[in-house]
Amino acid sequence: MSQELDYRSMRILPVSLLLLMLIIPLLNISMLIVMVAFSETGLESIAAGSGFSTVYFICEFSNIVVSIISLVCLYRLNDISRYYNYAWITLIFEMISELIRQIVSSLTRLHSDSLAANIISTVFDMLPKLLVMAGVAALLNGLVEMCHEMNGYVTDSEVVRVRNLNKAWYVTEIIRIIIWFVLYVNMYIMVSSQTAVYGVFQGIVQITAVLSIILIIAHIIISIFIFLNIWRVFRNFYLYRYNRRI
């Protein structure tokens, strides 16, 4: 354990992670509206799609900024728990995968009519989301380790709560990523086919879109609970170390 706590990082990290987790559904909502807008016809739908495309790119830029802030905080706190080092490494790979995703997306735009190229692009779209999921899960494991160090200072229910929250985060994110993958693929099939099966795939897109919205709401709720738990455990850990004069 580190003999000195970077309390500033302990105050900033919960907020930066909350912003990181909340930007993800904003990206999803923007993309969902763009999909719906461009599936319709008329100048208004094109204008709406272009407007939300701008929002999407703003969210992407914000995602990079918040990721960097989180990385700096995790780097300064990685002596508290080995899991914070794991979370730091995972978010480093998330930023690398985001760069690769941008490159792949640019290349697939040259072959926008190719279904295979669009599906490959979708796979790379999912990779940063998986890494964020893993990074947050590693941080929650770090909270459990901190609670174990504070044995007697925090109740066992605190550990159980964080562990259950971690499980809920894993399950929600995996299902959400799978649903978004299905949504993307079906949208690309609709665009590329333009045949009688369009109606069938349109129905699948509508169902997956509704499920996506439900999972986005679940994601936001769980993200807020994660923020509250990180904030509470960090506060208790600081008081624990202060009272013991560590």
Side-chain angles (χ1 to χ4, degrees):
M1 288 290 178
S2 173
Q3 295 302 310
E4 295 183 2
L5 287 178
D6 188 341
Y7 190 54
R8 179 178 295 179
S9 294
M10 294 180 76
R11 286 181 296 177
I12 295 174
L13 182 60
V15 178
S16 65
L17 279 174
L18 176 63
L19 292 175
L20 180 63
M21 291 184 290
L22 292 182
I23 287 172
I24 293 174
L26 287 177
L27 288 167
N28 293 152
I29 292 171
S30 299
M31 181 55 69
L32 185 62
I33 294 175
V34 169
M35 287 179 177
V36 173
F38 280 105
S39 66
E40 304 294 335
T41 58
L43 294 177
E44 291 183 0
S45 64
I46 294 174
S50 300
F52 278 99
S53 294
T54 303
V55 173
Y56 182 84
F57 289 121
I58 292 174
C59 289
E60 280 195 325
F61 176 76
S62 302
N63 181 69
I64 293 172
V65 173
V66 174
S67 295
I68 292 173
I69 295 172
S70 300
L71 283 170
V72 173
C73 293
L74 284 169
Y75 179 78
R76 294 182 174 181
L77 296 175
N78 61 15
D79 287 338
I80 294 178
S81 169
R82 68 185 188 277
Y83 288 107
Y84 294 150
N85 192 39
Y86 299 157
W88 179 78
I89 293 172
T90 304
L91 289 183
I92 286 287
F93 279 111
E94 186 270 337
M95 293 194 69
I96 295 173
S97 69
E98 184 67 27
L99 176 61
I100 295 173
R101 184 191 72 80
Q102 294 284 353
I103 295 172
V104 172
S105 296
S106 298
L107 293 175
T108 53
R109 288 192 193 102
L110 301 175
H111 306 280
S112 57
D113 294 334
S114 172
L115 178 60
N118 285 322
I119 291 177
I120 291 173
S121 177
T122 301
V123 172
F124 281 95
D125 282 339
M126 300 299 112
L127 186 56
K129 297 178 177 63
L130 286 169
L131 289 170
V132 169
M133 177 194 73
V136 173
L139 192 143
L140 290 174
N141 285 329
L143 293 187
V144 173
E145 194 171 79
M146 291 168 70
C147 290
H148 284 155
E149 186 192 347
M150 295 185 288
N151 186 26
Y153 195 82
V154 296
T155 62
D156 292 337
S157 62
E158 183 78 24
V159 178
V160 173
R161 181 164 55 244
V162 174
R163 283 178 172 167
N164 289 337
L165 189 60
N166 200 0
K167 292 177 183 177
W169 169 257
Y170 258 126
V171 172
T172 301
E173 292 307 294
I174 289 174
I175 295 175
R176 199 173 65 84
I177 290 170
I178 291 173
I179 292 295
W180 268 96
F181 181 80
V182 172
L183 179 61
Y184 271 74
V185 170
N186 278 281
M187 283 295 297
Y188 289 134
I189 291 174
M190 284 172 55
V191 171
S192 63
S193 63
Q194 298 295 328
T195 61
V197 298
Y198 180 88
V200 176
F201 285 103
Q202 188 177 33
I204 295 175
V205 167
Q206 290 173 348
I207 293 172
T208 52
V210 171
L211 291 175
S212 296
I213 294 171
I214 295 172
L215 289 167
I216 284 172
I217 296 172
H219 171 94
I220 293 172
I221 293 172
I222 292 173
S223 297
I224 294 172
F225 277 111
I226 289 174
F227 162 75
L228 294 174
N229 277 268
I230 295 173
W231 188 275
R232 181 169 53 248
V233 173
F234 277 7
R235 181 198 60 196
N236 290 338
F237 190 75
Y238 175 79
L239 293 174
Y240 164 77
R241 295 284 292 268
Y242 179 80
N243 291 334
R244 290 172 62 94
R245 298 295 190 272
I246 297 178

